């Protein structure tokens, strides 16, 4: 059985009795635990998500942070599944994977790729929250791209939330409670 965030905070005080509330206030405890959740999420990469976003005619650069593609503070990195392109219509989609590249590899293999004509995207690379596709699409298409990514744990809204799964308990994530408690012990001193 998983512990709620509130139960974990109580347990933290018992594990490190020196961390009295006047020495380590609740907001400091919260900050330490939330940093621990971020670190654990980055290390174990267990939250896999995906979202579709619109294709814009003649646009090869898409920012996942400045648009509403992926909610703020949700994205860790691209999942192995990567990016797909709908090579059909919105009504009858046919998503095909794009080949992942790096900018350096693009420059070596396709020297004039920045000047190529618009067409069907074949490949992409990801740098600093920017997805760049090649070729730039030659038409607008609702939900034309489908990105798969690794996400952070849900934001904790109250003490009744489960730190690894949000409002509902996911039993498989209970094992991470020990890791979070070790994080607390390490940072509480």
């Amino acid at each position: 059985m998983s512990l709620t965030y509130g139960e974990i905070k109580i347990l933290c005080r018992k594990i490190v009795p020196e961390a009295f509330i006047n020495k380590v206030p609740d907001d400091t405890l919260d900050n330490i635990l939330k940093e621990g959740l971020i670190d654990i999420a980055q290390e174990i990469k267990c939250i896999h998500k995906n979202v579709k976003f619109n294709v814009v005619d003649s646009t090869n650069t898409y920012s996942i942070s400045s648009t509403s593609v992926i909610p703020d503070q949700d994205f860790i990195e691209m999942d192995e599944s990567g990016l797909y392109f709908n090579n059909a219509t919105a009504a009858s989609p046919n998503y095909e994977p794009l080949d992942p590249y790096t900018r350096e590899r693009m420059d070596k293999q396709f020297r004039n790729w920045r000047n190529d004509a618009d067409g069907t995207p074949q490949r992409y690379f990801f740098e600093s929250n920017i997805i760049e596709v090649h070729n730039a699409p030659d038409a607008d298409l609702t939900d034309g791209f489908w990105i798969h990514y690794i996400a952070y744990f849900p934001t904790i809204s109250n003490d009744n939330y489960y730190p690894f799964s949000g409002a509902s308990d996911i039993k498989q994530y209970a094992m991470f409670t020990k890791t979070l408690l070790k994080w607390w012990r390490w940072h509480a001193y």
Side-chain angles (χ1 to χ4, degrees):
M1 182 171 131
S2 299
L3 298 176
T4 64
Y5 187 65
E7 292 167 333
I8 288 174
K9 290 192 321 188
I10 291 168
L11 194 53
C12 284
R13 298 277 187 206
K14 290 181 180 180
I15 288 173
V16 183
E18 299 86 6
F20 296 111
I21 198 158
N22 59 348
K23 186 175 179 185
V24 181
D26 280 340
D27 60 337
T28 302
L29 171 61
D30 282 335
N31 289 338
I32 291 171
L33 290 178
K34 288 177 183 177
E35 285 297 315
L37 288 169
I38 289 169
D39 190 62
I40 292 167
Q42 290 171 336
E43 290 297 320
I44 61 175
K45 301 174 183 167
C46 69
I47 308 290
H48 300 262
K49 292 186 178 181
N50 62 79
V51 65
K52 295 174 182 164
F53 61 99
N54 296 337
V55 168
V56 179
D57 182 24
S58 299
T59 301
N60 68 336
T61 302
Y62 297 84
S63 171
I64 62 167
S65 58
S66 65
T67 64
S68 58
V69 173
I70 296 176
D72 284 343
Q73 309 303 317
D74 197 35
F75 183 88
I76 294 177
E77 65 185 36
M78 296 283 288
D79 195 337
E80 284 183 26
S81 300
L83 184 66
Y84 288 72
F85 176 71
N86 180 0
N87 208 7
T89 66
S92 299
N94 178 30
Y95 287 95
E96 295 180 2
L98 300 183
D99 294 326
Y101 276 69
T102 63
R103 180 183 302 272
E104 181 182 2
R105 187 172 162 211
M106 288 289 294
D107 289 339
K108 285 180 181 176
Q109 286 191 270
F110 309 98
R111 293 187 187 271
N112 293 318
W113 68 272
R114 290 174 183 85
N115 300 319
D116 286 347
D118 295 353
T120 300
Q122 302 294 313
R123 56 201 63 84
Y124 74 96
F125 65 88
F126 177 76
E127 288 180 342
S128 305
N129 286 340
I130 302 291
I131 297 171
E132 196 152 340
V133 296
H134 176 251
N135 298 58
D138 58 3
D140 292 339
L141 182 60
T142 301
D143 292 340
F145 286 121
W146 190 8
I147 185 174
H148 297 257
Y149 66 100
I150 307 294
Y152 287 103
F153 295 116
T155 301
I156 298 171
S157 298
N158 61 59
D159 282 354
N160 293 323
Y161 267 53
Y162 296 93
F164 307 105
S165 55
S168 57
D169 184 16
I170 298 177
K171 305 270 188 255
Q172 300 92 304
Y173 296 164
M175 64 183 158
F176 302 130
T177 300
K178 284 183 182 179
T179 306
L180 184 60
L181 292 172
K182 286 180 181 181
W183 175 274
W184 157 251
R185 178 178 276 151
W186 180 41
H187 286 81
Y189 287 107

